[in-house]
Amino acid sequence: QVQLVESGGGSVQAGGSLRLSCAISERIADSWFTGWFRQAPGKEREGVASINSNYGSTFYADSVKGRFAVSQDNAKNTVYLQMNSLNLEDTAMYYCAARPSGPMIWESPLQASLYTYWGQGTQVTVSS
């Protein structure tokens, strides 16, 4: 059973930075996607960023472009989300998810319903 474990969440003041980590217990497939999602209370789950394991292709939601960066260390089966210039709207539970690569995920890399494996989440709270 594939397991994903997020870490690195916490409380930070607006304008600050955090780096989230997602440790994946095993290789998902020859090629896979890892995505970061977030969900604030009363809101739908939102795709934030994703990365393809083989090509390193990255995808971002408009709301985080230029502030967040997703990266990976395949030797460690770990994906990171560097979050800079955090604002109050970034407060949410952050989840990482993964799935094997394929045509559908290349078309919609930030669509939560396409992902198979999910972590338990890590809370990020931004205060003024």
Side-chain angles (χ1 to χ4, degrees), residues 17-22 34 36 48-51 56-61 63-72 78-86 94:
S17 299
L18 282 174
R19 189 176 81 153
L20 305 183
S21 298
C22 173
T34 306
W36 286 98
V48 174
S50 68
I51 187 167
S57 304
T58 57
F59 307 88
Y60 297 96
S63 58
V64 305
K65 279 181 182 176
R67 300 189 299 122
F68 290 13
V70 59
S71 61
Q72 62 190 1
T78 301
V79 173
Y80 305 97
L81 184 67
Q82 178 67 43
M83 306 187 294
N84 300 324
S85 301
L86 286 162
Y94 282 71

Side-chain angles (χ1 to χ4, degrees), residues 4-22:
L4 285 73
V5 179
E6 303 96 336
S7 61
S11 297
V12 63
Q13 287 191 323
S17 299
L18 282 174
R19 189 176 81 153
L20 305 183
S21 298
C22 173

Side-chain angles (χ1 to χ4, degrees), residues 77-111:
N77 273 1
T78 301
V79 173
Y80 305 97
L81 184 67
Q82 178 67 43
M83 306 187 294
N84 300 324
S85 301
L86 286 162
N87 57 53
L88 299 181
E89 289 71 36
D90 295 318
T91 295
M93 184 70 79
Y94 282 71
Y95 301 88
C96 66
R99 64 151 286 155
S101 186
M104 291 182 66
I105 195 67
W106 276 107
E107 287 188 11
S108 303
L110 299 181
Q111 186 171 332

